[in-house]
Structure formats: structure tokens, C-alpha cells
């Protein structure tokens, strides 16, 4: 009798223990995310990697630096799993690539036109050269909106494409150009070096900012990996809101800036973050109007069909 009771007890314990072993032995989900350059808007991703949030969801992450313009094809080809520019994702999806936005965590954009101090009016840019991340990127569209508002022909201002915000900053501070379009912390760092914030551009156009874009195939074949990645990034947003001092320290260390600059950058980041990770349909439709200047898009085209927010924690 005792032997039989011991046997049943052993089975009970083993049945409870084996699932734990199986879960512990689960192979990690490996993801690769493409970034054009170091930027404060990617702080949720830096936090997810450096604060162990990915590991909490059994994810191994790798960040790949690549130009914004090649990221959509890289995702579709399976070279990377995600990229972060929602505007690039929508543009490429409208053009026919099978892409899906699964997070959009910014409602507004913090882009700023930063120039040499001797640029005093928009017309001073005529005949000069500015640096932009690339054609059909957010800095490109915001600068186009600025030129239109200033009644300047875009052909009267030369632009070079740098591939990312950090490279645009270097183009400005090495005096290769007289101006560029930046986000924090690069705008504040430039001011500290003697340049000036010439104009705030974020209100000039409806352009989605930063989130997470993947392929339809990734969602179909690796949905659990996508779900965990989405959850981890949303946890990172919560961490940023709850840990001001540690977040500021990360900004100081990562961007080599002083405490005051980092405090300002943190305040800007928290101001532009939304709470639900969804894309505002008004912004998406406004962005389509911008794209219509370059290509035919039906008036009833719904950009929201390229989104899938079902894996956001709130949606579940």
C-alpha cells in the first residue's frame, strides 16, 4: 500500500514538474530589428534589450543598422523581422509590399529644423545644402512641408541623404551642410555646439512616427514570437514612464549628453508617447494625402488595413 501511494505521489510530482522543465527548455525566439541610426525615439527598444525585458519573454534580440529605404524589402525577404518607421511601413505597404504595423507608440513627431546661426529666414536656405535622412523619410516630408509653407521651390535647396538622424547631425556639425532635420537629443546637442533650432516641424504634416512593422508572413508563421515582441516593447514603454531617473541616466550614457539635455529629451519622449500603441486613423489618412502627391492612391483607400493591433496587451 505504501509502495502504491509513493508511486502515485511520484506521478503527481512528475506531472507538475515536467511542464516546468519543458518551459525552461523552450528555445528562445530570435528576432532582428533594423534601425537606421542611434535615436532617442528608439528608447523603448534599447530598454527592452538592456533591462532584460526581452529575456523575460524568452526573446533574443539583435539590432541591425541599415538605411530606412531598404528596410521594407529586408523584412519581406526575411533578413530582418521588424523595422521601426511606421511612415516607411505604410508607404511601402501602399506600394504593394505585404507589411503590417503592429505597434505605433507615438502620436506626434518631434522633428526640428536645426541650422547655422546665420540662417535667419527661410529664404536664407536658397542655394544652400541641407541634410535629410533620405528620400520619402519623415525628415524629407517635413522639410518639404516647411518649404511649401515658406513658398520656396524645393529645387532651390539642395539636399543630401545621410541614411539616419545621427548621420544628419554629423553632417551639420562637420559643416558639410547649413541645416538638417533632427529629433532630440541631437537638436539640443547641436544648440550646445552653437547651432540653433530654426523651426519646429512636427505640426506641419500628418506623418506617423515610430513603432514596429513586420511582414504578413512573420505574423502568419511566427505569431507567438510577434506577440511576445509586442508585449515586451509595450512593457518597455511602461518602464520608461515609471523610471524617470534611470531613463535619464540611460539617455546621458547612450547619447553622451549632459544631465540638463537628457532631462529635456526625456520630457519630449514622454510627451509624444501614446498609451495604447495604436495608430490614429486621422494621421494615417493625412499621410496618404502626402503620398498622393507622388503616386495615384484611390480616395477610399483605407491605410488601417495595413495594421494589426490584436496582439497589443490591451487588445488581448
Amino acid at each position: 500500500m505504501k509502495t502504491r501511494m509513493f508511486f502515485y505521489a511520484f506521478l503527481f510530482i512528475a506531472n507538475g514538474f515536467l511542464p516546468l522543465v519543458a518551459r525552461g527548455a523552450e528555445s528562445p525566439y530570435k528576432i532582428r530589428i533594423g534601425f537606421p541610426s542611434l535615436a532617442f525615439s528608439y528608447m523603448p527598444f534599447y530598454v527592452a534589450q538592456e533591462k532584460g525585458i526581452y529575456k523575460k519573454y524568452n526573446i533574443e534580440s539583435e539590432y541591425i543598422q541599415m538605411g530606412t529605404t531598404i528596410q521594407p524589402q529586408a523584412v519581406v525577404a526575411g533578413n530582418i523581422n521588424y523595422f521601426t518607421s511606421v511612415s516607411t511601413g505604410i508607404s511601402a505597404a501602399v506600394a504593394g509590399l505585404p507589411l503590417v504595423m503592429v505597434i505605433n507608440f507615438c502620436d506626434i513627431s518631434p522633428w526640428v529644423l536645426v541650422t547655422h546661426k546665420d540662417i535667419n529666414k527661410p529664404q536664407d536656405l536658397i542655394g544652400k545644402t541641407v541634410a535629410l535622412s533620405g528620400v520619402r523619410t519623415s525628415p524629407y516630408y517635413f522639410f518639404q512641408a516647411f518649404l511649401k509653407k515658406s513658398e520656396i521651390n524645393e529645387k532651390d535647396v539642395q539636399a543630401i541623404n545621410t541614411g539616419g538622424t545621427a548621420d544628419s547631425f554629423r553632417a551639420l556639425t562637420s559643416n558639410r551642410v547649413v541645416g538638417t532635420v533632427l529629433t532630440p537629443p541631437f537638436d539640443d546637442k547641436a544648440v550646445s555646439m552653437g547651432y540653433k533650432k530654426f523651426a519646429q516641424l512636427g505640426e506641419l504634416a500628418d506623418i506617423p512616427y515610430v513603432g514596429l512593422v513586420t511582414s504578413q508572413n512573420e505574423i502568419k508563421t511566427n505569431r507567438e514570437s510577434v506577440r511576445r515582441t509586442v508585449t515586451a516593447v509595450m512593457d518597455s514603454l511602461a518602464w520608461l514612464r515609471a523610471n524617470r531617473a534611470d531613463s535619464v541616466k540611460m539617455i546621458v550614457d547612450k547619447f553622451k549628453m549632459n544631465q540638463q539635455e537628457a532631462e529635456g529629451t526625456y520630457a519630449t519622449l514622454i510627451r509624444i508617447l501614446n498609451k495604447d500603441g495604436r495608430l490614429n486613423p486621422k494621421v494615417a489618412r493625412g499621410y496618404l494625402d502626402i503620398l498622393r502627391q507622388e503616386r495615384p492612391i484611390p480616395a477610399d483607400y483605407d491605410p488601417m488595413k495595413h495594421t494589426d493591433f490584436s496582439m497589443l496587451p490591451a487588445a488581448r
Side-chain angles (χ1 to χ4, degrees):
M1 188 66 155
K2 289 183 178 180
T3 302
R4 187 180 304 169
M5 289 179 65
F6 176 80
F7 176 73
Y8 288 138
F10 173 79
L11 286 179
F12 177 79
I13 293 171
N15 286 335
F17 178 71
L18 287 175
L20 293 177
V21 172
R23 284 197 295 271
E26 180 186 49
S27 297
Y29 294 89
K30 296 183 179 181
I31 64 170
R32 307 177 88 198
I33 304 180
F35 295 90
S37 64
L38 182 72
F40 95 112
S41 54
Y42 306 142
M43 280 296 293
F45 300 103
Y46 304 147
V47 166
Q49 190 177 64
E50 296 174 25
K51 296 300 178 181
I53 298 176
Y54 281 141
K55 288 184 179 179
K56 173 183 173 183
Y57 293 98
N58 202 25
I59 296 170
E60 287 185 4
S61 60
E62 182 181 3
Y63 293 166
I64 311 296
Q65 185 170 349
M66 59 172 58
T68 302
T69 54
I70 67 173
Q71 291 175 7
Q73 288 287 359
V75 162
V76 173
N79 297 320
I80 58 175
N81 305 95
Y82 306 93
F83 62 90
T84 59
S85 172
V86 177
S87 60
T88 300
I90 290 178
S91 178
V94 170
L97 288 184
L99 297 171
V100 184
M101 278 57 67
V102 292
I103 304 178
N104 173 75
F105 51 68
C106 294
D107 283 335
I108 56 177
S109 298
W111 294 103
V112 180
L113 175 61
V114 181
T115 67
H116 286 206
K117 282 194 171 181
D118 58 359
I119 302 296
N120 297 309
K121 58 183 183 299
Q123 287 69 27
D124 290 342
L125 293 171
I126 294 175
K128 307 292 196 314
T129 302
V130 300
L132 303 174
S133 296
V135 176
R136 298 184 179 88
T137 61
S138 293
Y140 169 85
Y141 288 123
F142 277 119
F143 189 66
Q144 293 297 306
F146 168 79
L147 293 179
K148 183 177 181 180
K149 179 182 178 182
S150 304
E151 299 181 339
I152 297 175
N153 190 312
E154 63 178 281
K155 295 181 180 180
D156 292 336
V157 181
Q158 184 178 351
I160 62 170
N161 299 324
T162 63
T165 308
D167 293 320
S168 294
F169 171 77
R170 283 189 284 270
L172 176 69
T173 55
S174 64
N175 295 321
R176 292 170 53 205
V177 297
V178 300
T180 189
V181 180
L182 301 174
T183 54
F186 297 105
D187 56 348
D188 290 321
K189 287 174 68 69
V191 169
S192 298
M193 297 172 67
Y195 301 90
K196 70 179 181 182
K197 296 182 184 182
F198 187 86
Q200 298 286 336
L201 305 181
E203 302 296 327
L204 297 183
D206 285 323
I207 302 177
Y209 192 33
V210 176
L212 205 59
V213 183
T214 190
S215 66
Q216 293 177 8
N217 185 62
E218 185 76 13
I219 293 177
K220 181 180 179 180
T221 60
N222 296 304
R223 188 176 182 87
E224 179 61 15
S225 176
V226 177
R227 185 192 70 78
R228 294 190 187 202
T229 301
V230 167
T231 303
V233 174
M234 293 302 291
D235 280 7
S236 298
L237 295 173
W239 187 94
L240 281 163
R241 290 190 177 95
N243 295 275
R244 180 187 181 95
D246 287 344
S247 298
V248 169
K249 185 179 185 304
M250 278 188 69
I251 293 171
V252 168
D253 294 341
K254 190 168 291 294
F255 297 98
K256 311 304 179 189
M257 58 196 309
N258 62 46
Q259 182 76 16
Q260 184 177 357
E261 291 169 345
E263 291 279 357
T265 292
Y266 176 82
T268 298
L269 178 62
I270 297 303
R271 176 175 60 85
I272 67 175
L273 293 177
N274 63 33
K275 288 186 168 58
D276 60 6
R278 294 174 178 270
L279 176 63
N280 185 333
K282 174 184 176 297
V283 174
R285 290 191 294 269
Y287 184 52
L288 280 193
D289 289 338
I290 293 174
L291 296 180
R292 286 189 179 98
Q293 300 172 21
E294 306 171 347
R295 65 184 99 160
I297 300 175
D300 61 349
Y301 193 96
D302 182 13
M304 300 305 288
K305 70 181 182 179
H306 301 300
T307 66
D308 181 354
F309 299 130
S310 64
M311 288 169 283
L312 289 166
R316 299 197 298 272

